[in-house]
PDB file of all heavy atoms in Angstrom:
ATOM      1  N   GLY A1365       3.728  81.576 -56.413  1.00 96.00           N
ATOM      2  CA  GLY A1365       3.745  80.121 -56.339  1.00 96.00           C
ATOM      3  C   GLY A1365       4.741  79.604 -55.322  1.00 96.00           C
ATOM      4  O   GLY A1365       5.432  80.367 -54.639  1.00 96.00           O
ATOM      5  N   ASP A1366       4.818  78.278 -55.200  1.00 97.00           N
ATOM      6  CA  ASP A1366       5.679  77.630 -54.205  1.00 97.00           C
ATOM      7  C   ASP A1366       7.060  77.275 -54.730  1.00 97.00           C
ATOM      8  O   ASP A1366       8.036  77.281 -53.984  1.00 97.00           O
ATOM      9  CB  ASP A1366       5.018  76.325 -53.715  1.00 97.00           C
ATOM     10  CG  ASP A1366       3.762  76.572 -52.905  1.00 97.00           C
ATOM     11  OD1 ASP A1366       3.719  77.569 -52.160  1.00 97.00           O
ATOM     12  OD2 ASP A1366       2.826  75.764 -53.015  1.00 97.00           O
ATOM     13  N   LEU A1367       7.140  76.942 -56.025  1.00 97.00           N
ATOM     14  CA  LEU A1367       8.359  76.351 -56.569  1.00 97.00           C
ATOM     15  C   LEU A1367       8.560  76.814 -58.000  1.00 97.00           C
ATOM     16  O   LEU A1367       7.612  76.857 -58.790  1.00 97.00           O
ATOM     17  CB  LEU A1367       8.240  74.815 -56.527  1.00 97.00           C
ATOM     18  CG  LEU A1367       9.420  73.986 -57.022  1.00 97.00           C
ATOM     19  CD1 LEU A1367      10.631  74.181 -56.111  1.00 97.00           C
ATOM     20  CD2 LEU A1367       9.039  72.508 -57.084  1.00 97.00           C
ATOM     21  N   GLN A1368       9.799  77.151 -58.339  1.00 95.00           N
ATOM     22  CA  GLN A1368      10.141  77.708 -59.648  1.00 95.00           C
ATOM     23  C   GLN A1368       9.772  76.770 -60.790  1.00 95.00           C
ATOM     24  O   GLN A1368      10.153  75.614 -60.830  1.00 95.00           O
ATOM     25  CB  GLN A1368      11.654  78.023 -59.665  1.00 95.00           C
ATOM     26  CG  GLN A1368      12.204  78.490 -60.989  1.00 95.00           C
ATOM     27  CD  GLN A1368      12.889  77.379 -61.774  1.00 95.00           C
ATOM     28  OE1 GLN A1368      12.984  76.247 -61.319  1.00 95.00           O
ATOM     29  NE2 GLN A1368      13.330  77.702 -62.963  1.00 95.00           N
ATOM     30  N   TYR A1369       8.978  77.263 -61.722  1.00 94.00           N
ATOM     31  CA  TYR A1369       8.743  76.640 -63.035  1.00 94.00           C
ATOM     32  C   TYR A1369       8.483  75.137 -62.966  1.00 94.00           C
ATOM     33  O   TYR A1369       9.126  74.347 -63.628  1.00 94.00           O
ATOM     34  CB  TYR A1369       9.948  76.941 -63.933  1.00 94.00           C
ATOM     35  CG  TYR A1369       9.609  77.061 -65.402  1.00 94.00           C
ATOM     36  CD1 TYR A1369       8.666  77.987 -65.841  1.00 94.00           C
ATOM     37  CD2 TYR A1369      10.223  76.256 -66.342  1.00 94.00           C
ATOM     38  CE1 TYR A1369       8.356  78.103 -67.185  1.00 94.00           C
ATOM     39  CE2 TYR A1369       9.918  76.356 -67.696  1.00 94.00           C
ATOM     40  CZ  TYR A1369       8.980  77.282 -68.105  1.00 94.00           C
ATOM     41  OH  TYR A1369       8.669  77.388 -69.442  1.00 94.00           O
ATOM     42  N   PHE A1370       7.516  74.753 -62.110  1.00 96.00           N
ATOM     43  CA  PHE A1370       7.116  73.361 -61.954  1.00 96.00           C
ATOM     44  C   PHE A1370       8.271  72.455 -61.505  1.00 96.00           C
ATOM     45  O   PHE A1370       8.297  71.267 -61.801  1.00 96.00           O
ATOM     46  CB  PHE A1370       6.499  72.824 -63.245  1.00 96.00           C
ATOM     47  CG  PHE A1370       5.037  73.180 -63.401  1.00 96.00           C
ATOM     48  CD1 PHE A1370       4.647  74.483 -63.673  1.00 96.00           C
ATOM     49  CD2 PHE A1370       4.054  72.225 -63.254  1.00 96.00           C
ATOM     50  CE1 PHE A1370       3.307  74.824 -63.807  1.00 96.00           C
ATOM     51  CE2 PHE A1370       2.708  72.547 -63.392  1.00 96.00           C
ATOM     52  CZ  PHE A1370       2.346  73.857 -63.661  1.00 96.00           C
ATOM     53  N   GLY A1371       9.227  73.025 -60.782  1.00 96.00           N
ATOM     54  CA  GLY A1371      10.328  72.215 -60.268  1.00 96.00           C
ATOM     55  C   GLY A1371      11.397  71.923 -61.296  1.00 96.00           C
ATOM     56  O   GLY A1371      12.054  70.874 -61.237  1.00 96.00           O
ATOM     57  N   GLN A1372      11.631  72.851 -62.214  1.00 96.00           N
ATOM     58  CA  GLN A1372      12.581  72.646 -63.312  1.00 96.00           C
ATOM     59  C   GLN A1372      13.974  72.266 -62.822  1.00 96.00           C
ATOM     60  O   GLN A1372      14.602  71.332 -63.334  1.00 96.00           O
ATOM     61  CB  GLN A1372      12.652  73.922 -64.157  1.00 96.00           C
ATOM     62  CG  GLN A1372      13.614  73.853 -65.323  1.00 96.00           C
ATOM     63  CD  GLN A1372      13.717  75.185 -66.058  1.00 96.00           C
ATOM     64  OE1 GLN A1372      13.615  76.239 -65.444  1.00 96.00           O
ATOM     65  NE2 GLN A1372      13.911  75.130 -67.360  1.00 96.00           N
ATOM     66  N   ILE A1373      14.474  72.977 -61.814  1.00 97.00           N
ATOM     67  CA  ILE A1373      15.833  72.707 -61.332  1.00 97.00           C
ATOM     68  C   ILE A1373      15.907  71.335 -60.674  1.00 97.00           C
ATOM     69  O   ILE A1373      16.900  70.610 -60.818  1.00 97.00           O
ATOM     70  CB  ILE A1373      16.283  73.816 -60.364  1.00 97.00           C
ATOM     71  CG1 ILE A1373      16.446  75.140 -61.129  1.00 97.00           C
ATOM     72  CG2 ILE A1373      17.578  73.442 -59.655  1.00 97.00           C
ATOM     73  CD1 ILE A1373      16.827  76.322 -60.258  1.00 97.00           C
ATOM     74  N   VAL A1374      14.855  70.959 -59.972  1.00 98.00           N
ATOM     75  CA  VAL A1374      14.831  69.634 -59.329  1.00 98.00           C
ATOM     76  C   VAL A1374      14.931  68.538 -60.382  1.00 98.00           C
ATOM     77  O   VAL A1374      15.726  67.592 -60.260  1.00 98.00           O
ATOM     78  CB  VAL A1374      13.545  69.449 -58.498  1.00 98.00           C
ATOM     79  CG1 VAL A1374      13.549  68.084 -57.819  1.00 98.00           C
ATOM     80  CG2 VAL A1374      13.406  70.559 -57.466  1.00 98.00           C
ATOM     81  N   THR A1375      14.147  68.656 -61.445  1.00 98.00           N
ATOM     82  CA  THR A1375      14.132  67.604 -62.461  1.00 98.00           C
ATOM     83  C   THR A1375      15.438  67.541 -63.238  1.00 98.00           C
ATOM     84  O   THR A1375      15.892  66.452 -63.601  1.00 98.00           O
ATOM     85  CB  THR A1375      12.954  67.793 -63.433  1.00 98.00           C
ATOM     86  OG1 THR A1375      13.038  69.084 -64.063  1.00 98.00           O
ATOM     87  CG2 THR A1375      11.630  67.681 -62.702  1.00 98.00           C
ATOM     88  N   LEU A1376      16.061  68.685 -63.493  1.00 98.00           N
ATOM     89  CA  LEU A1376      17.343  68.667 -64.209  1.00 98.00           C
ATOM     90  C   LEU A1376      18.408  67.948 -63.382  1.00 98.00           C
ATOM     91  O   LEU A1376      19.202  67.163 -63.915  1.00 98.00           O
ATOM     92  CB  LEU A1376      17.789  70.098 -64.528  1.00 98.00           C
ATOM     93  CG  LEU A1376      16.978  70.829 -65.614  1.00 98.00           C
ATOM     94  CD1 LEU A1376      17.467  72.258 -65.770  1.00 98.00           C
ATOM     95  CD2 LEU A1376      17.038  70.100 -66.950  1.00 98.00           C
ATOM     96  N   ASN A1377      18.433  68.209 -62.078  1.00 98.00           N
ATOM     97  CA  ASN A1377      19.392  67.515 -61.218  1.00 98.00           C
ATOM     98  C   ASN A1377      19.074  66.029 -61.135  1.00 98.00           C
ATOM     99  O   ASN A1377      19.972  65.180 -61.201  1.00 98.00           O
ATOM    100  CB  ASN A1377      19.390  68.138 -59.820  1.00 98.00           C
ATOM    101  CG  ASN A1377      20.200  69.418 -59.757  1.00 98.00           C
ATOM    102  OD1 ASN A1377      21.405  69.394 -59.550  1.00 98.00           O
ATOM    103  ND2 ASN A1377      19.529  70.551 -59.954  1.00 98.00           N
ATOM    104  N   GLU A1378      17.795  65.698 -61.001  1.00 98.00           N
ATOM    105  CA  GLU A1378      17.398  64.290 -60.934  1.00 98.00           C
ATOM    106  C   GLU A1378      17.805  63.556 -62.203  1.00 98.00           C
ATOM    107  O   GLU A1378      18.281  62.421 -62.166  1.00 98.00           O
ATOM    108  CB  GLU A1378      15.886  64.193 -60.726  1.00 98.00           C
ATOM    109  CG  GLU A1378      15.415  62.936 -60.011  1.00 98.00           C
ATOM    110  CD  GLU A1378      15.248  61.732 -60.913  1.00 98.00           C
ATOM    111  OE1 GLU A1378      15.226  61.904 -62.161  1.00 98.00           O
ATOM    112  OE2 GLU A1378      15.128  60.611 -60.390  1.00 98.00           O
ATOM    113  N   CYS A1379      17.666  64.230 -63.337  1.00 98.00           N
ATOM    114  CA  CYS A1379      17.987  63.600 -64.616  1.00 98.00           C
ATOM    115  C   CYS A1379      19.488  63.366 -64.760  1.00 98.00           C
ATOM    116  O   CYS A1379      19.916  62.346 -65.316  1.00 98.00           O
ATOM    117  CB  CYS A1379      17.475  64.466 -65.767  1.00 98.00           C
ATOM    118  SG  CYS A1379      17.480  63.627 -67.366  1.00 98.00           S
ATOM    119  N   ILE A1380      20.291  64.290 -64.262  1.00 98.00           N
ATOM    120  CA  ILE A1380      21.745  64.095 -64.301  1.00 98.00           C
ATOM    121  C   ILE A1380      22.135  62.850 -63.510  1.00 98.00           C
ATOM    122  O   ILE A1380      22.910  62.007 -63.979  1.00 98.00           O
ATOM    123  CB  ILE A1380      22.475  65.342 -63.763  1.00 98.00           C
ATOM    124  CG1 ILE A1380      22.434  66.458 -64.807  1.00 98.00           C
ATOM    125  CG2 ILE A1380      23.918  65.016 -63.387  1.00 98.00           C
ATOM    126  CD1 ILE A1380      23.087  67.743 -64.370  1.00 98.00           C
ATOM    127  N   TYR A1381      21.599  62.700 -62.298  1.00 98.00           N
ATOM    128  CA  TYR A1381      21.944  61.532 -61.475  1.00 98.00           C
ATOM    129  C   TYR A1381      21.336  60.254 -62.051  1.00 98.00           C
ATOM    130  O   TYR A1381      21.950  59.189 -61.997  1.00 98.00           O
ATOM    131  CB  TYR A1381      21.503  61.755 -60.030  1.00 98.00           C
ATOM    132  CG  TYR A1381      22.479  62.640 -59.291  1.00 98.00           C
ATOM    133  CD1 TYR A1381      22.355  64.031 -59.318  1.00 98.00           C
ATOM    134  CD2 TYR A1381      23.559  62.094 -58.603  1.00 98.00           C
ATOM    135  CE1 TYR A1381      23.275  64.846 -58.668  1.00 98.00           C
ATOM    136  CE2 TYR A1381      24.475  62.906 -57.951  1.00 98.00           C
ATOM    137  CZ  TYR A1381      24.326  64.276 -57.988  1.00 98.00           C
ATOM    138  OH  TYR A1381      25.239  65.084 -57.364  1.00 98.00           O
ATOM    139  N   ARG A1382      20.144  60.347 -62.616  1.00 97.00           N
ATOM    140  CA  ARG A1382      19.515  59.202 -63.271  1.00 97.00           C
ATOM    141  C   ARG A1382      20.380  58.699 -64.430  1.00 97.00           C
ATOM    142  O   ARG A1382      20.412  57.500 -64.722  1.00 97.00           O
ATOM    143  CB  ARG A1382      18.132  59.627 -63.779  1.00 97.00           C
ATOM    144  CG  ARG A1382      17.355  58.573 -64.547  1.00 97.00           C
ATOM    145  CD  ARG A1382      16.036  59.178 -65.035  1.00 97.00           C
ATOM    146  NE  ARG A1382      15.147  59.426 -63.912  1.00 97.00           N
ATOM    147  CZ  ARG A1382      14.128  58.649 -63.582  1.00 97.00           C
ATOM    148  NH1 ARG A1382      13.863  57.563 -64.277  1.00 97.00           N
ATOM    149  NH2 ARG A1382      13.351  58.950 -62.563  1.00 97.00           N
ATOM    150  N   SER A1383      21.092  59.613 -65.082  1.00 97.00           N
ATOM    151  CA  SER A1383      21.895  59.280 -66.266  1.00 97.00           C
ATOM    152  C   SER A1383      23.368  59.068 -65.953  1.00 97.00           C
ATOM    153  O   SER A1383      24.145  58.737 -66.856  1.00 97.00           O
ATOM    154  CB  SER A1383      21.752  60.415 -67.301  1.00 97.00           C
ATOM    155  OG  SER A1383      20.402  60.716 -67.567  1.00 97.00           O
ATOM    156  N   MET A1384      23.758  59.245 -64.709  1.00 96.00           N
ATOM    157  CA  MET A1384      25.178  59.311 -64.361  1.00 96.00           C
ATOM    158  C   MET A1384      25.948  58.046 -64.704  1.00 96.00           C
ATOM    159  O   MET A1384      27.081  58.103 -65.175  1.00 96.00           O
ATOM    160  CB  MET A1384      25.313  59.639 -62.870  1.00 96.00           C
ATOM    161  CG  MET A1384      26.722  60.029 -62.453  1.00 96.00           C
ATOM    162  SD  MET A1384      26.728  60.817 -60.823  1.00 96.00           S
ATOM    163  CE  MET A1384      26.054  62.436 -61.206  1.00 96.00           C
ATOM    164  N   GLU A1385      25.361  56.897 -64.476  1.00 94.00           N
ATOM    165  CA  GLU A1385      26.070  55.639 -64.705  1.00 94.00           C
ATOM    166  C   GLU A1385      25.754  55.012 -66.061  1.00 94.00           C
ATOM    167  O   GLU A1385      26.254  53.945 -66.373  1.00 94.00           O
ATOM    168  CB  GLU A1385      25.731  54.643 -63.593  1.00 94.00           C
ATOM    169  CG  GLU A1385      26.190  55.072 -62.213  1.00 94.00           C
ATOM    170  CD  GLU A1385      27.710  55.234 -62.118  1.00 94.00           C
ATOM    171  OE1 GLU A1385      28.430  54.504 -62.835  1.00 94.00           O
ATOM    172  OE2 GLU A1385      28.172  56.087 -61.343  1.00 94.00           O
ATOM    173  N   ARG A1386      24.913  55.678 -66.850  1.00 94.00           N
ATOM    174  CA  ARG A1386      24.516  55.038 -68.109  1.00 94.00           C
ATOM    175  C   ARG A1386      24.707  55.924 -69.334  1.00 94.00           C
ATOM    176  O   ARG A1386      24.442  55.480 -70.451  1.00 94.00           O
ATOM    177  CB  ARG A1386      23.060  54.585 -68.032  1.00 94.00           C
ATOM    178  CG  ARG A1386      22.041  55.709 -67.921  1.00 94.00           C
ATOM    179  CD  ARG A1386      20.629  55.159 -67.807  1.00 94.00           C
ATOM    180  NE  ARG A1386      19.641  56.231 -67.820  1.00 94.00           N
ATOM    181  CZ  ARG A1386      18.344  56.035 -67.689  1.00 94.00           C
ATOM    182  NH1 ARG A1386      17.880  54.808 -67.542  1.00 94.00           N
ATOM    183  NH2 ARG A1386      17.496  57.044 -67.726  1.00 94.00           N
ATOM    184  N   SER A1387      25.160  57.174 -69.161  1.00 97.00           N
ATOM    185  CA  SER A1387      25.307  58.053 -70.312  1.00 97.00           C
ATOM    186  C   SER A1387      26.599  58.856 -70.203  1.00 97.00           C
ATOM    187  O   SER A1387      26.926  59.400 -69.146  1.00 97.00           O
ATOM    188  CB  SER A1387      24.108  59.010 -70.411  1.00 97.00           C
ATOM    189  OG  SER A1387      24.126  59.712 -71.628  1.00 97.00           O
ATOM    190  N   ARG A1388      27.314  58.930 -71.299  1.00 97.00           N
ATOM    191  CA  ARG A1388      28.598  59.643 -71.312  1.00 97.00           C
ATOM    192  C   ARG A1388      28.383  61.153 -71.201  1.00 97.00           C
ATOM    193  O   ARG A1388      29.091  61.835 -70.476  1.00 97.00           O
ATOM    194  CB  ARG A1388      29.341  59.303 -72.612  1.00 97.00           C
ATOM    195  CG  ARG A1388      30.737  59.881 -72.717  1.00 97.00           C
ATOM    196  CD  ARG A1388      31.366  59.490 -74.047  1.00 97.00           C
ATOM    197  NE  ARG A1388      32.686  60.060 -74.213  1.00 97.00           N
ATOM    198  CZ  ARG A1388      33.336  60.132 -75.361  1.00 97.00           C
ATOM    199  NH1 ARG A1388      32.758  59.660 -76.462  1.00 97.00           N
ATOM    200  NH2 ARG A1388      34.535  60.666 -75.420  1.00 97.00           N
ATOM    201  N   TYR A1389      27.392  61.659 -71.938  1.00 98.00           N
ATOM    202  CA  TYR A1389      27.070  63.087 -71.908  1.00 98.00           C
ATOM    203  C   TYR A1389      25.572  63.261 -71.688  1.00 98.00           C
ATOM    204  O   TYR A1389      24.762  62.413 -72.081  1.00 98.00           O
ATOM    205  CB  TYR A1389      27.449  63.776 -73.226  1.00 98.00           C
ATOM    206  CG  TYR A1389      28.922  63.760 -73.542  1.00 98.00           C
ATOM    207  CD1 TYR A1389      29.432  62.905 -74.516  1.00 98.00           C
ATOM    208  CD2 TYR A1389      29.815  64.610 -72.882  1.00 98.00           C
ATOM    209  CE1 TYR A1389      30.787  62.881 -74.815  1.00 98.00           C
ATOM    210  CE2 TYR A1389      31.170  64.596 -73.168  1.00 98.00           C
ATOM    211  CZ  TYR A1389      31.644  63.731 -74.134  1.00 98.00           C
ATOM    212  OH  TYR A1389      32.988  63.702 -74.421  1.00 98.00           O
ATOM    213  N   VAL A1390      25.216  64.408 -71.082  1.00 98.00           N
ATOM    214  CA  VAL A1390      23.825  64.782 -70.895  1.00 98.00           C
ATOM    215  C   VAL A1390      23.622  66.188 -71.440  1.00 98.00           C
ATOM    216  O   VAL A1390      24.401  67.100 -71.132  1.00 98.00           O
ATOM    217  CB  VAL A1390      23.421  64.721 -69.404  1.00 98.00           C
ATOM    218  CG1 VAL A1390      22.039  65.328 -69.191  1.00 98.00           C
ATOM    219  CG2 VAL A1390      23.442  63.285 -68.905  1.00 98.00           C
ATOM    220  N   LEU A1391      22.595  66.367 -72.267  1.00 98.00           N
ATOM    221  CA  LEU A1391      22.230  67.671 -72.796  1.00 98.00           C
ATOM    222  C   LEU A1391      21.076  68.207 -71.969  1.00 98.00           C
ATOM    223  O   LEU A1391      20.059  67.519 -71.799  1.00 98.00           O
ATOM    224  CB  LEU A1391      21.806  67.580 -74.263  1.00 98.00           C
ATOM    225  CG  LEU A1391      22.897  67.405 -75.326  1.00 98.00           C
ATOM    226  CD1 LEU A1391      23.632  66.088 -75.182  1.00 98.00           C
ATOM    227  CD2 LEU A1391      22.312  67.525 -76.726  1.00 98.00           C
ATOM    228  N   LEU A1392      21.218  69.420 -71.449  1.00 97.00           N
ATOM    229  CA  LEU A1392      20.189  70.038 -70.613  1.00 97.00           C
ATOM    230  C   LEU A1392      19.576  71.199 -71.393  1.00 97.00           C
ATOM    231  O   LEU A1392      20.178  72.279 -71.496  1.00 97.00           O
ATOM    232  CB  LEU A1392      20.796  70.549 -69.302  1.00 97.00           C
ATOM    233  CG  LEU A1392      21.513  69.495 -68.446  1.00 97.00           C
ATOM    234  CD1 LEU A1392      22.245  70.156 -67.292  1.00 97.00           C
ATOM    235  CD2 LEU A1392      20.533  68.458 -67.929  1.00 97.00           C
ATOM    236  N   ASN A1393      18.394  70.970 -71.936  1.00 93.00           N
ATOM    237  CA  ASN A1393      17.758  72.023 -72.736  1.00 93.00           C
ATOM    238  C   ASN A1393      16.266  71.767 -72.835  1.00 93.00           C
ATOM    239  O   ASN A1393      15.762  70.765 -72.330  1.00 93.00           O
ATOM    240  CB  ASN A1393      18.387  72.104 -74.133  1.00 93.00           C
ATOM    241  CG  ASN A1393      18.250  70.827 -74.919  1.00 93.00           C
ATOM    242  OD1 ASN A1393      18.869  69.823 -74.606  1.00 93.00           O
ATOM    243  ND2 ASN A1393      17.420  70.857 -75.960  1.00 93.00           N
ATOM    244  N   ASP A1394      15.542  72.687 -73.484  1.00 91.00           N
ATOM    245  CA  ASP A1394      14.096  72.562 -73.644  1.00 91.00           C
ATOM    246  C   ASP A1394      13.782  71.924 -74.991  1.00 91.00           C
ATOM    247  O   ASP A1394      14.616  71.896 -75.903  1.00 91.00           O
ATOM    248  CB  ASP A1394      13.427  73.938 -73.543  1.00 91.00           C
ATOM    249  CG  ASP A1394      13.565  74.531 -72.152  1.00 91.00           C
ATOM    250  OD1 ASP A1394      13.626  73.750 -71.181  1.00 91.00           O
ATOM    251  OD2 ASP A1394      13.615  75.771 -72.035  1.00 91.00           O
TER     252      ASP A1394
END
Side-chain angles (χ1 to χ4, degrees):
D1366 292 324
L1367 181 66
Q1368 175 261 358
Y1369 211 57
F1370 277 71
Q1372 179 184 33
I1373 293 177
V1374 181
T1375 58
L1376 289 177
N1377 280 274
E1378 207 277 345
C1379 193
I1380 285 178
Y1381 281 88
R1382 177 183 291 258
S1383 308
M1384 193 165 286
E1385 296 299 329
R1386 66 182 185 182
S1387 190
R1388 185 181 178 195
Y1389 297 105
V1390 171
L1391 284 64
L1392 302 171
N1393 60 290
D1394 294 330

